Amino acid sequence: ASVSGTTTICEGASAEDFTFTGTPDAVVTYNIDGGATTTITLDNSGEATLTASNTTTSTVNLVSVANTSTNCTATVSGSATVTVNPLPTISIVTAATCDASLTTYTVTVAVSPGAVVTSGPGVVVTDNGSDNWTLQASVGTDITITATDPGTGCQETLAVNSPDCLCPTIAAPTSDGNQEYCAGGTIPAISASV
């Protein structure tokens, strides 16, 4: 009997299968990561599959195979490993804030060491160093920020909504009323409320 399926995935990706092959209807004994043994029965084409974890790295190790027709058991060796790479992290350092022009806004994020930040068309991305990045986008445009681990290609995303940067509505000022005074008299104060 043999086992295949060695591959590498990113955490949370579609789970991969280990594939056992051998004599049809044989019973294969194996362990995962050197733990307790368990068995799997091959179908009439001599194959069986086992879904690997998509959150942690795991290795299937063959132990033995039993032929159910002859009742013979043989020791076998072989292994397959599904390596699960962690996703980079991304978090908000400074929330989306309107710029002085009120036409753009900026947001600052922190990512895991070495990760690279990108976003959509028209978004200005600035690397501030120390895994700190600033992004500037047009007001009214929601953006998705992507952090990519250049070593593994694994990505994590973060959605950011545009803030409301419209000028607030200001009520017209109101006068406290007309004033009158006599020639040569003291000029009264004129006031208004806003």
Side-chain angles (χ1 to χ4, degrees), residues 29-168:
T29 300
Y30 66 95
N31 67 56
I32 297 178
D33 298 331
T37 59
T38 188
T39 60
I40 192 168
T41 301
L42 306 184
D43 60 21
N44 57 15
S45 66
E47 188 174 290
T49 58
L50 174 70
T51 301
S53 169
N54 67 345
T55 58
T56 58
T57 296
S58 57
T59 299
V60 165
N61 303 294
L62 298 181
V63 176
S64 63
V65 59
N67 188 317
T68 55
S69 299
T70 63
N71 293 322
C72 293
T73 299
T75 299
V76 293
S77 62
S79 64
T81 300
V82 172
T83 301
V84 180
N85 287 320
L87 301 180
T89 59
I90 181 170
S91 59
I92 296 288
V93 174
T94 304
T97 305
C98 300
D99 295 332
S101 67
L102 301 183
T103 60
T104 59
Y105 68 94
T106 58
V107 58
T108 302
V109 298
V111 295
S112 49
V116 177
V117 171
T118 55
S119 192
V123 179
V124 179
V125 181
T126 304
D127 182 358
N128 303 318
S130 301
D131 303 305
N132 181 285
W133 298 70
T134 297
L135 300 93
Q136 184 183 62
S138 298
V139 168
T141 301
D142 298 334
I143 63 175
T144 298
I145 304 172
T146 301
T148 303
D149 184 324
T152 65
C154 295
Q155 296 182 327
E156 182 65 288
T157 60
L158 178 68
V160 175
N161 293 326
S162 170
D164 181 1
C165 298
L166 296 175
C167 292

